[in-house]
Amino acid sequence: MIVMKFGGSSVGSSSAIKRVASIVQSQIQRKPVVVVSALGDTTDQLTTVLTHAKRGESYLAWKLIKELREYHFSVAEDLLGSRKLETVDRRLRDTLRDLHVRMAEACDGERTITPEEVDRTLSLGEQLSSVIVSTAFDQMGISTSLMDSRELILTDDHFTNASPRIWETYAKIRWTLP
């Protein structure tokens, strides 16, 4: 087994994701576990969304979320075409709609941007990219099993500065991954 980690610029466009797929394919005999970051500058944009929400700037937060939606759908459509896009469409829409609602509530003072909310929001980039990359890999003939790292990696509750609980995480990964 080999663990292959690809950062934001490595998965920042459909052509970049195709290059990643060819790299993974070249190592397929080693049974790769692929970890992907958020697409491009998504994490920076999510940080800015949080800043706007804290300030009550609902229009600016909404505008950035809309840009994130368009960017992710554009990359997904380039990779998958309109027929296969349906497989990721609902997941992208639901995730970004939920983000919009939470940020609107924060702008209206109904929700506080806690450290836990910061972590939850910043993790969305990886959640979105992993769905897109996994579906694209499947379409390119690389069989995948999408795993949610939130189900595998256990941490303490020091949000925005959490430390992994190494032994529990290791046990969970060994139990879950073949």
Side-chain angles (χ1 to χ4, degrees):
M1 178 174 69
I2 182 174
V3 177
M4 304 175 81
K5 167 70 166 72
F6 297 95
S9 60
S10 298
V11 290
S13 67
S14 58
S15 60
I17 293 170
K18 288 175 185 175
R19 280 192 301 277
V20 165
S22 69
I23 294 167
V24 171
Q25 185 67 49
S26 74
Q27 297 297 315
I28 207 73
Q29 75 283 357
R30 296 178 72 188
K31 299 180 181 178
V33 172
V34 178
V35 179
V36 293
S37 293
L39 302 184
D41 295 328
T42 298
T43 303
D44 291 339
Q45 289 180 297
L46 289 168
T47 300
T48 304
V49 166
L50 286 163
T51 300
H52 290 313
K54 286 178 189 176
R55 294 178 183 163
E57 300 167 343
S58 59
Y59 174 75
L60 295 174
W62 169 81
K63 186 177 174 189
L64 264 179
I65 293 168
K66 182 177 182 246
E67 289 173 15
L68 283 168
R69 181 175 53 86
E70 290 168 358
Y71 172 50
H72 283 79
F73 275 100
S74 173
V75 170
E77 188 170 32
D78 283 350
L79 282 166
L80 307 172
S82 57
R83 284 186 317 134
K84 281 291 193 178
L85 183 60
E86 293 175 17
T87 60
V88 298
D89 180 76
R90 166 121 3 230
R91 184 90 176 261
L92 296 177
R93 286 186 191 284
D94 289 349
T95 300
L96 292 167
R97 185 180 322 111
D98 180 58
L99 172 63
H100 175 91
V101 168
R102 290 193 334 265
M103 294 305 104
E105 289 172 350
C107 288
D108 292 341
E110 298 171 23
R111 177 185 296 268
T112 303
I113 303 294
T114 63
E116 184 175 7
E117 181 65 41
V118 170
D119 282 353
R120 180 179 182 189
T121 299
L122 295 182
S123 75
L124 294 178
E126 285 76 12
Q127 292 173 49
L128 295 170
S129 69
S130 63
V131 169
I132 293 168
V133 170
S134 175
T135 306
F137 278 17
D138 284 336
Q139 184 169 315
M140 293 175 208
I142 302 171
S143 181
T144 66
S145 295
L146 180 60
M147 307 294 293
D148 188 334
S149 63
R150 296 171 298 169
E151 303 296 322
L152 297 173
I153 300 171
L154 304 173
T155 66
D156 60 29
D157 60 357
H158 296 110
F159 297 105
T160 72
N161 194 26
S163 295
R165 294 182 359 219
I166 300 292
W167 294 111
E168 294 96 328
T169 295
Y170 179 74
K172 190 141 191 164
I173 291 171
R174 293 290 291 172
W175 178 261
T176 305
L177 295 179

